[in-house]
């Protein structure tokens, strides 16, 4: 029991914790040689997952700092065509909350005369997964409409799976 069952219970408990998002778990590297090697490999895997999580968090912070540091209005959309991210400059420009802009909420700020052409350009490019560029009027937080140029590009994961679009707008 001391050399097999108890060390395996430690591995099982730690694996359950790892599955639930606790990446700081370790397993005592004791017991029969095979069990000790299993524990050692488990600990190495947990450390690698911790490092990957830290790199991912740092990458997210880097992206947000980059996206929010300039004047460009940055947005992303998912494969369903709905927008799922707007940077701080976009939100300041429109004077709206992220929740108001998500999905197709951003279209409420497009000038009514420009909206049909804007949506046609977006959906056509989206369906073809092609880059696009268009100009339209977007309502500023002041209530006035400003002409912007909006450029979007399709984005893909490492396996080539289409994820949606990333775009940026400039007040012209």
């Amino acid at each position: 029991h001391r050399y097999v069952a108890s060390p395996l219970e430690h591995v099982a408990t730690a694996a359950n914790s790892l599955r639930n998002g606790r990446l700081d778990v370790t397993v005592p590297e004791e017991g029969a040689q095979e069990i000790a090697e299993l524990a050692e490999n488990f600990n190495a895997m947990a450390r690698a997952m911790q490092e990957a999580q830290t790199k991912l968090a740092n990458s997210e912070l880097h992206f947000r700092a980059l996206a929010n540091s300039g004047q460009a209005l940055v947005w992303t959309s998912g494969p369903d065509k709905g927008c799922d991210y707007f940077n701080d400059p976009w939100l300041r420009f429109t004077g709206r909350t992220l929740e108001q802009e998500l999905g197709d909420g951003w279209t409420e700020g497009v000038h009514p005369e420009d909206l049909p052409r804007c949506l046609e350009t977006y959906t056509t490019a989206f369906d073809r997964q092609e880059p696009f560029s268009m100009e339209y009027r977007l309502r500023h937080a002041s209530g006035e409409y400003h002409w912007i140029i909006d450029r979007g590009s399709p984005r893909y994961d490492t396996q080539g799976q289409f994820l949606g679009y990333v775009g940026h707008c400039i007040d012209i």
Side-chain angles (χ1 to χ4, degrees):
H1 179 75
R2 187 173 72 181
Y3 290 105
V4 176
S6 180
L8 284 178
E9 286 173 6
H10 289 294
V11 172
T13 300
N16 191 39
S17 294
L18 198 63
R19 184 180 61 209
N20 292 323
R22 285 205 45 229
L23 301 181
D24 60 341
V25 296
T26 56
V27 177
E29 297 175 12
E30 58 188 25
Q33 181 180 352
E34 294 86 359
I35 305 289
E37 286 179 23
L38 174 65
E40 182 181 341
N41 288 329
F42 180 91
N43 291 336
M45 179 183 67
R47 279 190 304 276
M49 289 176 71
Q50 257 184 323
E51 290 169 11
Q53 185 70 22
T54 299
K55 285 180 183 177
L56 182 61
N58 287 336
S59 178
E60 175 75 12
L61 288 173
H62 177 78
F63 166 77
R64 293 208 181 272
L66 183 64
N68 291 324
S69 66
Q71 297 298 314
L73 314 179
V74 178
W75 57 269
T76 63
S77 65
D80 62 352
K81 297 182 185 163
C83 288
D84 54 15
Y85 172 78
F86 293 92
N87 70 345
D88 290 343
W90 175 290
L91 300 176
R92 283 192 302 273
F93 181 91
T94 62
R96 290 169 46 97
T97 66
L98 178 62
E99 291 73 24
Q100 290 173 310
E101 298 294 88
L102 292 176
D104 63 356
W106 64 274
T107 62
E108 294 174 16
V110 177
H111 193 283
E113 293 176 8
D114 301 337
L115 185 58
R117 179 181 43 80
C118 180
L119 292 176
E120 175 66 23
T121 300
Y122 178 72
T123 57
T124 299
F126 200 99
D127 292 341
R128 295 179 182 164
Q129 297 180 13
E130 296 176 340
F132 69 84
S133 179
M134 62 179 161
E135 294 179 14
Y136 57 92
R137 289 167 285 182
L138 185 64
R139 188 172 42 245
H140 185 266
S142 67
E144 297 176 352
Y145 284 92
H146 291 216
W147 279 99
I148 63 166
I149 186 164
D150 188 347
R151 293 189 173 108
S153 299
R155 58 189 178 102
Y156 302 90
D157 67 14
T158 56
Q159 285 78 42
Q161 182 77 23
F162 177 65
L163 297 175
Y165 269 73
V166 60
H168 67 278
C169 306
I170 303 294
D171 184 352
I172 55 172

